[in-house]
């Protein structure tokens, strides 16, 4: 392997080194890369949203097909126009006189979001989690059964720790203590896992610099 | 009107979307689908607002020669280059959008995240001192997971560290995550209920 002749690889290597230069101190090259990524990522997400949301859900049904398959007929098209109108209302934030109109689409977003969240959170984050904590009686007396019991104890004690309506004294305090131990193991494991994920990214960048750019390693 | 209308709309939308989950009827499914797409379309316009705000801020910075105004050219240049590469068919067909992603956005993002490895290490050095029992537990759990995830740990312990790491991740970590998730789920639902009932009105700037 030899030094890369691809200008794209050279640009990527230069930007990688620009970011790494921050390890020494804040400098001109880091700030260039930092400002570049702000603009490029904003543009990237704008294009993604236009391509994957605005065009298929708004432009194609309204201007090309003149029919919305969710609600066929003129009512569907009218609802799409209303959505766009609400979207445009957000721009009234720039006006001092009409800025209150921007609250309408924001209120609708909040309302829809809240309506989605109430059943969905209770279903996925509460009921499903409780369901998964139920011990399978077939595993009683086995290593898996013991682990399942530990999970149940950990969940209940962890929840007790988060329960602030009763003072953490006496029996409640003891259970809450087990809860905080469980949470600390969880945080430690998560920290270790995150640190290793970052290190694997670092290895990836080093691999790029040494293999793809400099061609030192094969 | 300025205060009541948004609160009323929030209530109606939240109520309808909550009810539709429990009613298996075609009309309620349509309400769900329409709301979902409305959410996305309004979301795109709010991104337009964000981009407009970003451009306005940087143009103002350049015009008034504010501190570090030169960098604003780089931000605006990156933004317009990416948008042009993604939306102008001639550039798009030549793969300019993917090229910019592969050679600018991806390397910078990946390097920024990898940089966190150093900051995590320095934060760990300061935070992970076995001053108390729970701090020691935190330290041990992190050390075992890190050692269990590298070949060196496997070699050193003849497979013991990876087994401990797996157990820590699959048992106590799951219990902790589950307790947190249940708490988050209940918190989200109660927060959403506050929004629906108009108690939480931060989107109206406190009015």
């Amino acid at each position: 392997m030899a030094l890369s002749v691809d200008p794209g690889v050279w640009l990527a290597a230069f930007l990688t080194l620009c970011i790494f230069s921050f390890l020494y101190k804040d400098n001109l090259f880091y700030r260039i890369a930092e400002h570049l990524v702000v603009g490029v990522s904003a543009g990237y997400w704008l294009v993604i949203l236009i391509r994957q949301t605005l065009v298929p859900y708004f432009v194609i049904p309204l201007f090309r097909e003149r029919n919305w398959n969710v609600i066929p007929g003129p009512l569907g098209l009218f609802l799409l126009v209303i959505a766009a109108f609400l979207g445009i209302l957000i721009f009234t934030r720039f006006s001092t006189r009409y800025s209150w109109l921007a609250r309408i689409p924001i209120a609708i977003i909040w309302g829809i979001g809240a309506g989605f969240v109430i059943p969905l959170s209770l279903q996925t984050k509460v009921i499903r989690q409780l369901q998964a904590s139920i011990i399978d009686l077939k595993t009683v007396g086995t290593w898996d059964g013991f682990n399942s019991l530990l999970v149940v104890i950990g969940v209940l004690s962890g929840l007790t720790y988060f329960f602030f309506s009763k003072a953490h004294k006496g029996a409640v305090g003891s259970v809450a203590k087990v809860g905080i131990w469980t949470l600390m193991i969880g945080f430690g494991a998560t920290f270790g896992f995150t640190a290793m994920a970052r290190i694997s990214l670092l290895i990836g960048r080093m691999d790029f610099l040494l293999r793809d750019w400099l061609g030192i390693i094969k | 009107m300025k205060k009541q209308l948004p609160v009323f709309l929030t209530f109606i939308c939240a109520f309808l979307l909550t009810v539709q989950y429990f009613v298996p009827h075609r009309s309620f499914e349509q309400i769900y689908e329409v709301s979902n797409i409305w959410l996305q379309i309004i979301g795109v316009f709010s991104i337009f607002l964000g981009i407009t705000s970003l451009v306005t801020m940087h143009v103002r910075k350049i015009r008034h020669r504010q501190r570090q105004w030169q960098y604003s050219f780089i931000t605006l240049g990156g933004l317009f280059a990416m948008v042009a590469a993604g939306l102008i068919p001639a550039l798009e067909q030549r793969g300019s959008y993917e090229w910019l992603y592969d050679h600018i956005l991806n390397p910078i993002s990946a390097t920024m995240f990898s940089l966190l490895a150093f900051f995590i290490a320095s934060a760990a050095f300061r935070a992970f001192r076995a001053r108390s029992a729970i701090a020691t537990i935190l330290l041990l759990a992190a050390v075992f997971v890190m050692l269990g995830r590298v070949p060196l740990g496997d070699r050193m312990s003849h497979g013991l560290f990876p087994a401990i790491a797996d157990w820590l991740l699959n048992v106590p970590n799951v219990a902790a995550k589950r307790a947190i998730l249940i708490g988050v789920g209940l918190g989200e639902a109660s927060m959403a209920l506050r929004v629906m009932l108009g108690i939480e009105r931060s989107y109206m700037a406190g009015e």
Side-chain angles (χ1 to χ4, degrees):
Chain A
M1 295 265 297
L3 192 67
S4 173
V5 288
D6 182 352
V9 171
W10 275 81
L11 178 63
F14 170 71
L15 292 170
T16 301
L17 294 174
C18 283
I19 297 292
F20 277 139
S21 70
F22 187 73
L23 288 170
Y24 171 60
K25 67 175 185 180
D26 192 10
N27 62 75
L28 171 88
F29 294 107
Y30 176 77
R31 270 179 257 145
I32 287 173
E34 189 189 32
H35 281 78
L36 185 62
V37 79
V38 171
V40 168
S41 59
Y44 173 78
W45 285 109
L46 183 67
V47 172
I48 290 280
L49 283 168
I50 289 172
R51 279 183 187 176
Q52 296 184 359
T53 305
L54 200 66
V55 172
Y57 295 138
F58 181 72
V59 177
I60 292 176
L62 194 66
F63 297 108
R64 198 180 294 170
E65 294 175 353
R66 294 185 188 279
N67 184 43
W68 192 25
N69 55 10
V70 176
I71 297 180
L75 178 65
L77 297 179
F78 178 68
L79 287 172
L80 281 179
V81 172
I82 295 270
F85 177 69
L86 288 169
I88 291 165
L89 275 187
I90 288 185
F91 284 88
T92 56
R93 280 192 80 90
F94 290 121
S95 153
T96 43
R97 193 173 174 190
Y98 298 107
S99 65
W100 69 274
L101 285 170
R103 288 177 190 169
I104 293 172
I106 294 168
I108 289 172
I109 289 178
W110 273 63
I112 294 172
F116 279 149
V117 159
I118 293 172
L120 213 65
S121 279
L122 292 176
Q123 177 69 19
T124 57
K125 290 179 181 159
V126 181
I127 295 170
R128 286 274 165 84
Q129 298 305 319
L130 291 173
Q131 217 171 23
S133 303
I134 294 170
I135 299 172
D136 183 358
L137 289 175
K138 285 179 202 160
T139 62
V140 172
T142 64
W143 176 244
D144 285 345
F146 173 69
N147 283 337
S148 302
L149 184 67
L150 285 182
V151 170
V152 172
I153 292 168
V155 170
L156 292 176
S157 55
L159 285 173
T160 309
Y161 176 71
F162 287 131
F163 188 71
F164 299 112
S165 298
K166 195 161 169 55
H168 289 180
K169 289 176 188 166
V172 177
S174 306
V175 176
K177 205 164 191 176
V178 177
I180 196 166
W181 281 46
T182 311
L183 289 169
M184 282 301 152
I185 298 174
F187 292 146
T190 307
F191 178 87
F193 201 71
T194 310
M196 294 318 287
R198 299 288 179 245
I199 286 169
S200 71
L201 269 174
L202 181 64
I203 293 168
R205 294 322 297 160
M206 288 300 165
D207 187 63
F208 165 75
L209 289 175
L210 299 176
R211 190 194 304 270
D212 299 347
W213 181 44
L214 296 174
I216 293 172
I217 55 171
K218 288 185 181 176
Chain B
M1 174 82 165
K2 289 179 185 177
K3 290 178 191 172
Q4 282 88 348
L5 182 65
V7 174
F8 175 72
L9 287 171
T10 305
F11 174 77
I12 291 291
C13 293
F15 182 75
L16 274 176
L17 266 296
T18 307
V19 169
Q20 67 78 29
Y21 187 81
F22 301 99
V23 185
H25 190 269
R26 178 67 194 139
S27 55
F28 280 88
E29 281 173 21
Q30 281 178 327
I31 288 174
Y32 172 81
E33 286 173 42
V34 169
S35 307
N36 198 7
I37 290 170
W38 268 31
L39 199 65
Q40 293 185 55
I41 292 172
I42 299 172
V44 172
F45 280 94
S46 58
I47 294 290
F48 286 155
L49 178 78
I51 300 285
T52 310
S53 177
L54 180 81
V55 171
T56 314
M57 190 196 87
H58 281 284
V59 168
R60 197 186 303 135
K61 210 171 167 182
I62 293 168
R63 194 175 285 166
H64 296 291
R65 298 283 192 274
Q66 287 172 2
R67 195 171 158 264
Q68 298 186 346
W69 60 274
Q70 297 90 337
Y71 296 110
S72 294
F73 280 114
I74 296 169
T75 303
L76 292 175
L79 170 69
F80 291 124
M82 204 68 183
V83 172
L87 298 181
I88 296 173
L91 291 172
E92 195 194 339
Q93 281 160 11
R94 288 168 60 186
S96 308
Y97 184 69
E98 285 73 18
W99 193 90
L100 287 175
Y101 177 83
D102 289 340
H103 298 103
I104 294 181
L105 187 57
N106 192 31
I108 299 180
S109 313
T111 314
M112 275 186 165
F113 279 109
S114 74
L115 209 61
L116 288 179
F118 294 98
F119 295 113
I120 281 180
S122 107
F125 181 73
R126 275 176 274 137
F128 282 5
R129 287 185 189 161
R131 284 179 186 157
S132 61
I134 50 173
T136 312
I137 290 173
L138 186 83
L139 171 72
L140 287 175
V143 167
F144 277 122
V145 169
M146 285 192 274
L147 282 175
R149 284 282 168 270
V150 288
L152 182 69
D154 190 15
R155 283 275 179 86
M156 273 164 60
S157 64
H158 301 287
L160 183 65
F161 286 158
I164 293 174
D166 284 343
W167 184 81
L168 284 171
L169 286 168
N170 293 329
V171 182
N173 181 48
V174 164
K177 286 276 165 63
R178 208 166 267 172
I180 293 168
L181 262 183
I182 292 170
V184 168
L186 291 171
E188 276 180 357
S190 53
M191 186 65 177
L193 210 59
R194 281 170 61 87
V195 169
M196 182 166 109
L197 297 174
I199 301 166
E200 177 62 48
R201 297 182 187 186
S202 52
Y203 62 92
M204 296 214 303
E207 282 189 37

